[in-house]
């Protein structure tokens, strides 16, 4: 697809408007990530009436569902990138990094953490590991990558609307 610019009557670029879906998906995912991983999860462990087993079980179910939602959001993000007129290398690098993080979480971190939660709920004493720290690092990585994509798409959308 050529990188030509089609002008509408009001002076905005027709193709530049295609950055809006990308901005929407990236900002939506970013908001969900903040809400689930950085607000709801830590807060539930501060609720005095919620015992550790229940909090861990709720977390396990929450992250299992959120992981599925993230795969849908990833697919939507890739489609949105494909629809944009500008094929920024930065967007693809961030998307590939997001894919690697999702794969790492799906095939290594979540299964290990789920197993540990199951053992804790069953009353077993489990040795300390760094898996939880790795998961937090992965979540922070997704946050940074989604922030980069969001800001880029919003900047390009704003430019296309004539709001430089």
């Amino acid at each position: 697809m050529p990188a030509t610019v089609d002008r509408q009557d009001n002076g905005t670029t027709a193709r530049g408007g295609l950055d809006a879906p990308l901005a929407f998906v990236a900002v939506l995912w970013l908001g969900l990530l903040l809400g689930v991983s950085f607000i709801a999860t830590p807060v539930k462990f501060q609720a005095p009436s919620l015992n550790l087993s229940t909090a861990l079980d709720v977390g396990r179910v929450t992250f299992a569902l959120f992981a599925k939602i993230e795969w849908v959001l990833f697919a939507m993000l890739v489609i949105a990138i494909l629809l944009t007129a500008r094929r920024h290398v930065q967007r693809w690098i961030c998307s590939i990094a997001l894919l690697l993080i999702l794969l790492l979480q799906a095939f290594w971190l979540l299964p290990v953490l789920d197993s540990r939660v199951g053992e804790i709920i069953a009353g077993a004493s489990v040795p300390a590991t760094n898996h939880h720290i790795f998961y937090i690092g992965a979540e922070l990585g997704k946050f940074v990558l989604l922030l980069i994509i969001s800001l880029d798409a919003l900047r390009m959308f704003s430019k296309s609307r004539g709001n430089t």
Side-chain angles (χ1 to χ4, degrees), residues 55-79:
L56 289 172
D57 201 27
V58 168
R60 178 170 51 177
V61 172
T62 300
F63 280 101
L65 175 60
F66 188 54
K68 292 173 184 152
I69 292 169
E70 284 188 306
W71 282 108
V72 172
L73 290 167
F74 179 77
M76 291 171 59
L77 187 84
V78 169
I79 291 167

Side-chain angles (χ1 to χ4, degrees), residues 6 13 16 21 25 34 49 57-58 60 63 70 74-76 80 94 100 107 112 121 123 130 138 142 155:
D6 300 330
T13 60
V25 172
L34 284 170
S49 63
D57 201 27
V58 168
R60 178 170 51 177
F63 280 101
E70 284 188 306
F74 179 77
M76 291 171 59
C94 289
L100 293 174
F107 293 106
V112 168
I121 290 172
N130 290 325
K142 286 190 293 191
R155 180 179 55 83

Side-chain angles (χ1 to χ4, degrees), residues 133-155:
I133 300 300
F134 294 149
Y135 196 88
I136 292 168
E139 295 295 273
L140 287 170
K142 286 190 293 191
F143 174 82
V144 169
L145 294 165
L146 289 167
L147 185 62
I148 290 168
I149 294 171
S150 297
L151 292 175
D152 178 57
L154 288 169
R155 180 179 55 83

